[in-house]
Amino acid sequence: MTPSDDETPKSHHRPGGFQNRYNDSVTRNLSEVLRWRWDASRRGLPPLPKAPTPRVTPDLGFLHANATAGVDMVPTVTWIGHATALVQMGGISLLTDPMFSERASPLPFAGPRRQVPPGVAPGDLPRIDLVLVSHNHYDHLDSASVDALKAQAGGSPLFVVPLGLRDWLARRGIDNAIELDWWQEHRIVGPAGDIDVMLSPAQHWSARGLTDRMATLWGGFAVFAPDCHLFFAGDTGYSKDFTDLREHLADRQRPETGGGFDLALLPIGAYEPRWFMTNQHVNAAEAVKIHIDVAAKRSLGVHWGTFELTDEALDEPPRSLAHEVKEAGLQDDEFFVLAVGETRRIPRR
Ligand code: ZN
Ligand code: ZN
C-alpha cells in the first residue's frame, strides 16, 4: 500500500517543517525536474494559446462604493489574475494571494512572465482589509505586491498566513499578521458581524529557496461571514483533505443555516504533464471533484491564464473545465471562469 492509499491522516508536523496528510511524494527531485524540462523543450511545450486571456475594464466605481457599504455590501468576487481575487463580503474587502508583478520569480529578469495585466492595478484597489496568503511560492507570495499593500492609504491590511510566514512578513515591516495552523481560526470583527478565518489542509508544498523546502506551511482558507462562506483552496493536488473539510464543517454549514460554501476559488491550471504535476496541482476534472467534495454552491476557476508555468496551453484550462462541468452534470454557472477584471455578484446566504 502506498502512502496515498492510506486513509488515515497523519500529523502534518515534522522536525523542521511540515508534510502532507495523505501523500509523501508531492515534491519532485532534480532528475525529475530535468526530465520534465527536457521533454517540454524537445516537444515545444506549452503550445501557444489560441486566444489571449480575456480581460475587461473593471467596474471601479461599483467596487469602491461597495467597499464602504458596510451592512449593505453586496458579496462579490473580481478576478485580478492567477490566484489573486478581490472578494467583498461581510462588509470587508479581501485579497487572495496578491500577485501584481511582472514576473513570478525571485529574479527581476528571469522566470515566468505575466501574460495579461492585473485586472485591477494595486493603486486602483479599494482599501483592502484582509489578505490571505496560501503558501510562499513566488506566484502566490510576491514581495512588491505585499509592500504595496502595506503602504496603502489608511495602513496595512491584516495578513492571515500559514505557520512560518509571519517572520517573512515581519522582515518586510509588516506586524499586522496572524499565523495559523491547519484547522485553526482567527476571528475578525467586521462591520456586518464576526468573520471567522480558518486555515484548511491542502496537498502541496512550499519553498522560496534551495534549502527551505516544506519549512513553512501551505493551505487553503475558509472564511465565514454572515452573508457569505468563502473557500479558497490555494494550490493543491486532489486528496481526501476536501471530504475531511466538509465533515469538519458539517455542523457549521447545516442546510437550515445556509448550507455549504457560497463561493469557492479553485485552481484549474498548471496540471501538465500529469506524471509530474498530479500530486501537487489538480486538473479541471479534479477541481470539479473538489467543488463537489466541499459542497460549494458555486466555484470560480483560478490559477490559469496569467503565468506560463507548465506544459498545457495558457487557454486550455477553461476549455477543459467546460467539458468536465458538463460531464459532471453541473450547470455552467455552478463552476465558471471570469475575464481578468470581471466582477460576479454572489447571492447572500
Ligand atoms: Zn505552489
Ligand atoms: Zn501556484
Side-chain angles (χ1 to χ4, degrees), residues 22 31 91 122 134 137 201 225:
Y22 293 109
S31 79
S134 66
H137 285 153

Side-chain angles (χ1 to χ4, degrees), residues 82 135 137 139-140 204 235 281 303 309:
H82 205 53
H135 64 301
H137 285 153
D139 56 323
H140 298 259
H204 199 61
D235 274 356
H281 287 159
H303 205 261
L309 301 173

Side-chain angles (χ1 to χ4, degrees), residues 100-319:
F100 295 88
S101 293
E102 204 36 42
R103 286 193 193 270
S105 157
L107 305 168
F109 52 86
R113 169 170 263 165
R114 178 176 284 278
Q115 303 294 314
V116 55
V120 181
D124 289 338
L125 287 168
R127 190 195 138 69
I128 299 300
D129 304 291
L130 171 66
V131 173
L132 306 175
V133 176
S134 66
H135 64 301
N136 71 357
H137 285 153
Y138 286 91
D139 56 323
H140 298 259
L141 178 60
D142 176 66
S143 309
S145 303
V146 163
D147 292 350
L149 286 160
K150 178 195 165 220
Q152 75 174 348
S156 174
L158 171 68
F159 286 77
V160 181
V161 298
L163 286 183
L165 285 177
R166 212 160 70 127
D167 280 353
W168 188 92
L169 291 170
R171 286 198 295 276
R172 305 202 71 83
I174 294 170
D175 301 320
N176 192 13
I178 298 285
E179 205 173 68
L180 297 179
D181 198 354
W182 287 345
W183 309 117
Q184 275 185 338
E185 298 191 12
H186 175 71
R187 175 162 289 182
I188 297 164
V189 179
D194 289 343
I195 302 172
D196 290 330
V197 181
M198 186 187 85
L199 188 73
S200 58
Q203 183 172 292
H204 199 61
W205 56 294
S206 68
R208 281 180 88 78
L210 298 174
T211 58
D212 63 344
R213 189 176 272 205
M214 299 174 105
T216 65
L217 189 57
W218 53 93
F221 287 92
V223 185
F224 309 99
D227 57 349
C228 183
H229 286 191
L230 168 73
F231 176 56
F232 168 52
D235 274 356
T236 188
Y238 183 72
S239 76
K240 197 174 164 293
D241 289 310
F242 302 102
T243 50
D244 291 349
L245 175 62
R246 184 179 183 165
E247 279 166 27
H248 186 84
L249 298 176
D251 252 7
R252 195 172 207 156
Q253 296 189 325
R254 290 193 312 273
E256 60 272 26
T257 61
F261 290 105
D262 301 279
L263 174 66
L265 310 179
L266 304 179
I268 61 167
Y271 48 75
E272 292 284 353
R274 294 309 287 155
W275 69 265
F276 190 97
M277 296 296 168
T278 302
N279 290 343
Q280 53 181 299
H281 287 159
V282 291
N283 62 10
E286 291 162 331
V288 168
K289 279 163 69 178
I290 295 177
H291 166 89
I292 293 165
D293 286 352
V294 303
K297 294 171 193 163
R298 60 192 71 74
S299 294
L300 169 66
V302 298
H303 205 261
W304 70 276
T306 315
F307 296 101
E308 220 165 52
L309 301 173
T310 49
D311 287 0
E312 83 275 8
L314 212 55
D315 61 345
E316 188 188 270
R319 283 198 298 273

